């Protein structure tokens, strides 16, 4: 496409934006002429219109189109009904992808939240607490690809008889054991990849849960100690119930981040050796294998996995608001 075509498109975009702004200004002018009650509604409508429009164009329309594409073949021109969904739940490779994804969304949120909570409790109120938080939070500043490269060096395998530059294999050689090609050993390789995301998300969990711990009433803890409660009893019966909402927020956030996982799998194994997950294979199907139908089907499955968690979180927030009142 030559430069003139780009200029033509830019001109059309500029004209469209100008027209859109002019329409908003006209509607706002009409709202000023209306009665007070109608004016407030009209002004609210005018200012909400761009957000609603962008939501429809950027979210609702792509979601509906993706759902429709999941009923068509690879080229998007042949209606195949539920054939793509049947493939997703019957094909051995697709089933392995679903199993891997299930393992990720169970193990990663659970361990990230649990380790973050334990670490937050251990450093709470101690000298140097800010330094300890900063140290565990540092991985959050690294991109998923950067973290994957770091851990790929940890798992690096150079072959039997070769000098091992990978940390784990260097330790094994130091102990007189044979090195292991960690990233090709199924199913262990899946859990080794999970370590990368857990390493990143523990910092987020620690910071959020540490802030929540500051809100636990010290009077309740002191009263429990006077009554003879042990530290474990205080933790499970007072601390955890008091920060339950923060724990749920952390777990849900990590859960959604895990479902979107693409970078770690792509950078470390490219989905080979039984490590593929939904988000990665969705991109593979749609862009490398040029199968739009299966790619759309995997996208719909991802959406269906997220919806129940979002609904639960919304209801949980509403319940907290009612309790606060």
């Amino acid at each position: 496409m030559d430069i003139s075509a780009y200029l033509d498109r830019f001109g059309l975009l500029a004209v469209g934006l100008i027209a859109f702004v002019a329409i908003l200004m006209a509607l706002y002018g009409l709202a000023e002429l209306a009665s007070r009650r109608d004016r407030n509604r009209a002004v609210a409508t005018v200012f909400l219109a761009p957000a609603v429009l962008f939501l429809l164009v950027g979210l609702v329309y792509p979601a509906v189109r993706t759902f429709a594409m999941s009923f068509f073949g690879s080229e998007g021109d042949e209606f195949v009904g539920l054939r793509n969904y049947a493939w997703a739940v019957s094909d051995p490779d697709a089933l392995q992808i679903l199993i891997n994804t299930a393992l990720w969304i169970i193990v990663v949120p659970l361990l990230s939240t649990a380790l973050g909570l334990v670490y937050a409790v251990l450093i709470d109120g101690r000298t140097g607490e800010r330094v300890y938080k900063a140290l565990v939070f540092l991985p959050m500043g690294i991109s998923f690809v950067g973290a994957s490269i770091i851990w790929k060096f940890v798992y690096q395998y150079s072959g039997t008889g070769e000098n091992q530059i990978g940390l784990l294999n260097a330790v094994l050689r130091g102990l007189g054991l044979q090195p292991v090609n960690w990233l090709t050993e199924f199913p262990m390789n899946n859990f080794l990849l999970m370590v990368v995301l857990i390493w990143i998300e523990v910092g987020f969990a620690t910071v959020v849960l540490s802030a929540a711990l500051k809100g636990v009433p010290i009077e309740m803890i002191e009263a429990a100690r006077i009554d003879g409660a042990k530290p474990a009893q205080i933790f499970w019966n007072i601390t955890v119930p008091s920060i339950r909402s923060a724990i749920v927020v952390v777990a849900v956030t990590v859960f959604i981040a895990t479902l979107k996982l693409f970078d770690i799998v792509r950078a470390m194994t490219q989905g080979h050796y039984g490590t593929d997950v939904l988000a990665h294979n969705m991109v593979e199907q749609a862009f490398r294998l040029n199968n739009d139908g299966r790619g759309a089907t995997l996208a719909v499955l991802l959406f269906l996995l997220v919806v129940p968690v979002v609904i639960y979180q919304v209801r949980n927030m509403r319940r907290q608001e009612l309790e606060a009142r």
Side-chain angles (χ1 to χ4, degrees), residues 57-294:
V57 174
L59 182 62
V60 176
Y61 170 71
V64 173
R65 187 171 183 274
T66 300
F67 181 71
M69 286 175 58
S70 67
F71 297 101
F72 288 82
S74 59
E75 300 297 330
D77 54 359
E78 178 189 359
F79 183 78
V80 297
L82 297 175
R83 190 183 304 169
N84 291 324
Y85 291 94
W87 163 81
V89 297
S90 61
D91 183 82
D93 293 333
L95 282 175
Q96 185 60 57
I97 292 170
L98 293 176
I99 293 172
N100 291 345
T101 304
L103 285 174
W104 276 85
I105 62 178
I106 293 172
V107 174
V108 174
L110 182 62
L111 287 183
S112 297
T113 306
L115 292 175
L117 177 59
V118 171
Y119 190 77
V121 171
L122 291 176
I123 67 173
D124 185 49
R126 296 185 179 275
T127 304
E129 178 180 351
R130 293 182 179 180
V131 176
Y132 298 142
K133 286 183 185 177
L135 290 175
V136 77
F137 192 76
L138 281 176
M140 286 290 296
I142 306 175
S143 68
F144 283 2
V145 174
S148 301
I149 293 173
I150 292 172
W151 281 91
K152 196 170 183 179
F153 278 115
V154 174
Y155 301 142
Q156 184 69 37
Y157 172 75
S158 302
T160 304
E162 302 290 336
N163 291 327
Q164 301 296 324
I165 63 172
L167 177 62
L168 288 183
N169 281 321
V171 171
L172 290 180
R173 289 294 296 270
L175 296 174
L177 302 175
Q178 291 297 317
V180 178
N181 194 350
W182 300 101
L183 295 180
T184 64
E185 294 292 326
F186 177 83
M188 179 177 59
N189 50 7
N190 283 288
F191 295 99
L192 294 178
L193 265 61
M194 293 177 198
V195 170
V196 182
L197 188 55
I198 293 171
W199 179 64
I200 295 173
E201 296 295 343
V202 164
F204 164 75
T206 299
V207 171
V208 175
L209 296 176
S210 178
L213 287 173
K214 305 299 182 185
V216 178
I218 190 64
E219 296 82 4
M220 295 177 59
I221 297 177
E222 292 297 334
R225 287 174 179 168
I226 293 174
D227 290 340
K230 297 179 180 179
Q233 293 174 322
I234 295 175
F235 176 77
W236 289 111
N237 297 320
I238 297 178
T239 303
V240 172
S242 299
I243 63 172
R244 176 181 173 277
S245 59
I247 293 174
V248 171
V249 168
V250 170
V252 169
T253 303
V254 177
F255 177 90
I256 295 175
T258 305
L259 272 182
K260 298 187 296 182
L261 179 72
F262 171 83
D263 316 62
I264 294 175
V265 173
R266 186 68 176 180
M268 298 189 73
T269 62
Q270 297 185 351
H272 300 315
Y273 316 114
T275 60
D276 214 351
V277 291
L278 272 178
H280 181 268
N281 195 257
M282 175 187 69
V283 176
E284 286 283 289
Q285 294 288 343
F287 296 102
R288 190 177 70 84
L289 302 176
N290 296 318
N291 195 320
D292 295 335
R294 290 183 177 180

